[in-house]
């Protein structure tokens, strides 16, 4: 049973890493095309950079992603992080990925 739950946790981490990579890539492409960051994550869907906002595998909700504003002007979505306060297997916090 322990092995099952351990592999389940690891698979959630893999999915989280992939989702973050895809969303960050879409944000970068949006910025490259428009010269500005999207005002919210849903704008990536509206402009067809993403088909849908993925579900965070840890919180099991697409609404818990944390949008990080750009360091300088503070407008838009510069980065995205998981809304989970939990700790990963490597000891880091998911919200810091």
């Amino acid at each position: 049973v322990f092995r099952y739950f351990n592999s389940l946790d690891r698979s959630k981490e893999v999915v989280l890493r992939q989702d973050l990579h895809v969303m960050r890539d879409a944000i970068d492409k949006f910025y490259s095309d428009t010269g500005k960051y999207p005002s919210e994550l849903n704008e990536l869907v509206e402009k067809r950079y993403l088909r849908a906002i993925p579900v965070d595998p840890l919180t099991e909700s697409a609404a818990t992603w944390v949008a990080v504003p750009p360091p300088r002007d503070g407008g838009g979505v510069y980065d995205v992080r998981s809304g989970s306060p939990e700790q990963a297997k490597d000891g880091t916090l998911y919200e810091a990925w």
Side-chain angles (χ1 to χ4, degrees):
V1 173
F2 174 75
R3 281 184 161 174
Y4 170 75
F5 286 113
N6 192 29
S7 67
L8 188 62
D9 290 342
R10 290 209 185 275
S11 66
K12 286 181 180 183
E13 288 183 359
V14 169
V15 171
L16 175 62
R17 286 187 193 277
Q18 179 64 26
D19 288 347
L20 288 171
H21 174 74
V22 168
M23 287 193 295
R24 288 171 176 161
D25 186 53
I27 292 169
D28 290 343
K29 288 178 181 176
F30 185 96
Y31 183 80
S32 178
D33 290 346
T34 64
K36 64 182 182 95
Y37 292 104
S39 58
E40 58 184 25
L41 288 176
N42 284 333
E43 190 172 359
L44 296 173
V45 176
E46 292 168 7
K47 304 282 184 173
R48 301 207 181 264
Y49 287 88
L50 293 173
R51 289 186 182 199
I53 302 297
V55 172
D56 184 332
L58 302 171
T59 61
E60 298 179 355
S61 172
T64 57
W65 294 109
V66 177
V68 178
R72 282 183 252 135
D73 63 10
V77 179
Y78 171 76
D79 196 5
V80 65
R81 305 217 186 270
S82 174
S84 174
E86 297 175 20
Q87 191 173 16
K89 293 287 183 194
D90 65 1
T92 61
L93 296 175
Y94 291 121
E95 60 192 17
W97 285 12

